[in-house]
Amino acid sequence: MNEYDSKRILDLSKKINYISTKNINEADCYILNTCHIREKATDKVYHEVGRVKKEFRNKKKPIVLIVGCVAQAEGEVLLKKEKYINAVVGPQSYHEINKIIIDIETKNTKVNSTEFEVIKKFDQLNVVKNTNNKISSFLTIQEGCDKFCKFCVVPYTRGPEYSRSSSEILSEAKQLVDNGSKEIVLLGQNVSAYKSKNQRLSDLLYSLSQIKSLERIRYTTSHPKDFTEDLVQAHVECKKLMPLLHLPVQSGSTKILRNMNRNHTIEEYLKIIKTLKEKKPSIKFSSDFIIAYPGETKDDFKKTVSLMEKVKFINSYSFIFSARPGTPAANLKKIDDKIARERLRIFQLSATEIKKKYRKELVNSNANVLFENNAKNSNRYFGRDEYFNSVIVNSNENLIGKIRSVKINSCNQNTLFGEVNLEDTKKVYAA
Ligand code: SAM
Ligand code: SF4
């Protein structure tokens, strides 16, 4: 979501004559977009600002804005502690950025803008064209969260759940497709909780499927509690919706899920997986895990490893529990660090073995790959298959933006290597 937000901030700043630069030395304004989900986030901000200070030691100081969730959570402290920062801007106040920059340029003011004004934000962003022209583009459909899992800062930094209207979303999706995007990844802290008037996520998926030149749709992240029958059906019926579902589970133990306030059991989670597999046999799953949540016993941890082995997630993101200031879990007794690290090691070993086996089985099979880019001046093309696996091929044809059937010849831990199936390539004879 921060990547999407950063692009939209750049789109906005064009209105006051700023253009983006990849060269930090020539920046007049430096914007650091931050994430607060796990620890050390604030330390990273001070470290980054230190780096900018060094770069500009003998030059005119740029305007420095800290935006995103660290700004939201630590706003006033950041401004007091690091005088080099001109403004802190929370994720629901991005629409104020141009005004803030102009105020700093003209009056050299210090600004703390951390109100939750999500409706105003999207009202202003909707009239600014989304200029992103990547083959695979992000599109935020929903923000914030009302679920209050005990470990998580999102409800405090992104604010309450808010869904954009489906007409706004469709209009932005069409812009992205006109810019050349072939795949759209719908974003939200809880996309499965999407609700605008009578429109649910499933309705949105059907509507987006009607956009002719849009080839692929994905969404992330969803919550098991919101996984309703209509959404299962959309997975079966929407051919453009890719057959990989990222469904975070966090733990394999119902006791821990209850302690986390996740509001579902492991049996309910497994039922969603079973139903989806029955109705759409090609579907595969990825997930998020928190290891060593306070109170996690050896037995609870074993259940998490067993869940990994049972579902065989093809991808997973696992982290040791990180106490976030202001969340209820921050006050709980932490599990000994050595034990936590050992559990993470064991879990990741199991996850890696499963992933390795899955990838080995792909060798000699065919995959439909949407190609996104190529290495500079080379015929080496990078794309993703339907399961979001990275695929690299060599080709004399310009493959960017095209979907091709690829025979997979080999793999390593992160990438599949293959060749385009020539019988699928259409030939032209011109004389
Ligand atoms: N809304 C999604 C859900 O309900 O699963 C997850 C969104 S959260 C922004 C992304 C992931 O960060 C979570 O799934 C969780 O695994 C991880 N995470 C959040 N807070 C954490 C914490 N305090 N410690 C470790 N991991 C955390
Ligand atoms: Fe955080 Fe997701 Fe829980 Fe919301 S549902 S509090 S975003 S982990």
Side-chain angles (χ1 to χ4, degrees):
M1 187 168 279
N2 274 6
E3 190 180 322
Y4 173 85
D5 286 345
S6 296
K7 289 229 160 76
R8 296 301 276 147
I9 289 170
L10 290 176
D11 283 340
L12 261 179
S13 66
K14 281 182 194 143
K15 277 186 142 184
I16 53 163
N17 278 336
Y18 276 80
I19 55 165
S20 138
T21 174
K22 295 238 179 292
N23 184 358
I24 188 172
N25 287 302
E26 61 177 30
D28 299 291
C29 177
Y30 174 87
I31 303 180
L32 181 64
N33 196 354
T34 59
C35 174
H36 202 230
I37 202 82
R38 279 178 294 272
E39 58 212 313
K40 301 210 175 84
T42 318
D43 298 348
K44 279 187 206 155
V45 172
Y46 293 122
H47 180 80
E48 267 303 304
V49 175
R51 197 168 75 91
V52 181
K53 259 183 179 170
K54 243 192 202 164
E55 289 279 350
F56 285 85
R57 212 173 13 219
N58 302 318
K59 277 184 248 155
K60 183 174 173 260
K61 171 192 179 304
I63 292 172
V64 174
L65 305 189
I66 308 301
V67 309
C69 290
V70 177
Q72 185 69 40
E74 308 269 343
E76 216 41 60
V77 179
L78 288 174
L79 281 178
K80 274 202 189 116
K81 230 172 137 177
E82 180 47 90
K83 303 282 180 242
Y84 205 73
I85 299 171
N86 296 92
V88 288
V89 186
Q92 306 310 8
S93 303
Y94 293 153
H95 56 292
E96 300 284 356
I97 275 184
N98 286 353
K99 189 178 165 302
I100 292 170
I101 293 176
I102 289 169
D103 277 354
I104 297 168
E105 277 175 349
T106 51
K107 298 180 226 150
N108 198 17
T109 45
K110 287 259 167 191
V111 187
N112 180 351
S113 182
T114 45
E115 295 299 312
F116 288 133
E117 297 187 310
V118 66
I119 300 179
K120 266 198 199 161
K121 177 176 89 170
F122 281 113
D123 278 353
Q124 294 203 23
L125 279 171
N126 286 333
V127 293
V128 177
K129 197 171 180 303
N130 189 326
T131 59
N132 188 10
N133 60 0
K134 282 170 82 175
I135 299 299
S136 176
S137 293
F138 292 134
L139 202 177
T140 291
I141 63 164
Q142 178 277 336
E143 275 202 41
C145 182
D146 294 338
K147 293 203 165 50
F148 291 91
C149 299
K150 293 207 170 152
F151 53 81
C152 183
V153 285
V154 167
Y156 311 95
T157 54
R158 288 261 171 188
E161 261 172 27
Y162 170 79
S163 296
R164 298 177 70 192
S165 77
S166 63
S167 58
E168 273 169 46
I169 295 166
L170 285 170
S171 149
E172 194 170 327
K174 282 177 192 151
Q175 275 174 26
L176 291 169
V177 171
D178 287 347
N179 297 348
S181 294
K182 300 284 178 196
E183 174 177 281
I184 289 184
V185 184
L186 305 177
L187 295 181
Q189 274 78 32
N190 266 305
V191 275
S192 46
Y194 176 84
K195 196 152 186 40
S196 173
K197 297 198 178 121
N198 56 354
Q199 297 285 297
R200 298 159 298 181
L201 175 61
S202 55
D203 300 305
L204 205 54
L205 293 168
Y206 289 110
S207 305
L208 287 163
S209 295
Q210 303 299 317
I211 302 178
K212 212 168 158 245
S213 306
L214 179 63
E215 307 270 6
R216 291 181 167 187
I217 306 168
R218 303 180 190 273
Y219 65 82
T220 192
T221 303
S222 48
H223 190 290
K225 189 70 190 151
D226 303 317
F227 221 90
T228 44
E229 185 52 44
D230 58 295
L231 193 49
V232 173
Q233 207 48 35
H235 274 273
V236 178
E237 290 168 3
C238 287
K239 299 294 168 241
K240 292 184 180 178
L241 182 59
M242 291 296 99
L244 172 70
L245 175 63
H246 185 68
L247 192 61
V249 64
Q250 317 300 353
S251 168
S253 154
T254 295
K255 181 196 97 189
I256 295 295
L257 293 181
R258 200 181 320 116
N259 293 351
M260 288 175 166
N261 193 31
R262 290 292 288 180
N263 271 311
H264 66 86
T265 62
I266 278 303
E267 289 69 32
E268 285 161 341
Y269 183 87
L270 287 171
K271 192 158 174 255
I272 301 171
I273 303 264
K274 185 167 175 267
T275 311
L276 276 162
K277 272 186 170 169
E278 276 166 12
K279 297 205 170 181
K280 190 174 172 78
S282 62
I283 200 160
K284 296 198 184 298
F285 302 90
S286 59
S287 197
D288 293 347
F289 295 84
I290 295 180
I291 305 298
Y293 186 75
E296 182 190 82
T297 60
K298 227 174 171 178
D299 190 46
D300 294 319
F301 171 64
K302 270 190 190 158
K303 287 180 179 161
T304 304
V305 179
S306 304
L307 183 75
M308 167 55 79
E309 284 162 359
K310 186 173 178 142
V311 179
K312 300 203 179 347
F313 296 97
I314 64 168
N315 217 347
S316 61
Y317 303 89
S318 49
F319 295 93
I320 292 173
F321 164 73
S322 160
R324 310 310 298 126
T327 62
N331 304 320
L332 301 174
K333 188 172 180 292
K334 276 183 86 174
I335 288 187
D336 176 79
D337 205 39
K338 212 168 143 207
I339 297 176
R341 274 189 274 127
E342 180 58 6
R343 285 186 188 168
L344 183 70
R345 192 188 68 77
I346 294 170
F347 178 81
Q348 291 187 337
L349 206 65
S350 160
T352 307
E353 277 313 305
I354 287 163
K355 191 168 164 179
K356 264 192 196 161
K357 189 162 178 281
Y358 159 69
R359 283 168 169 270
K360 268 199 184 139
E361 282 165 8
L362 292 177
V363 174
N364 290 326
S365 73
N366 293 318
N368 288 322
V369 179
L370 169 60
F371 287 95
E372 297 182 16
N373 51 50
N374 64 337
K376 258 189 194 138
N377 303 325
S378 92
N379 61 354
R380 225 168 133 75
Y381 287 86
F382 166 88
R384 291 196 186 267
D385 71 4
E386 294 174 341
Y387 298 96
F388 212 61
N389 293 310
S390 310
V391 180
I392 289 181
V393 303
N394 286 328
S395 168
N396 292 326
E397 182 198 358
N398 180 357
L399 294 174
I400 297 172
K402 294 178 184 146
I403 295 179
R404 289 284 181 266
S405 165
V406 170
K407 159 115 185 300
I408 305 300
N409 294 328
S410 63
C411 67
N412 64 23
Q413 207 183 318
N414 297 315
T415 312
L416 305 170
F417 301 90
E419 59 195 298
V420 173
N421 281 316
L422 286 177
E423 62 269 29
D424 291 320
T425 310
K426 294 191 181 82
K427 298 181 181 77
V428 59
Y429 174 81

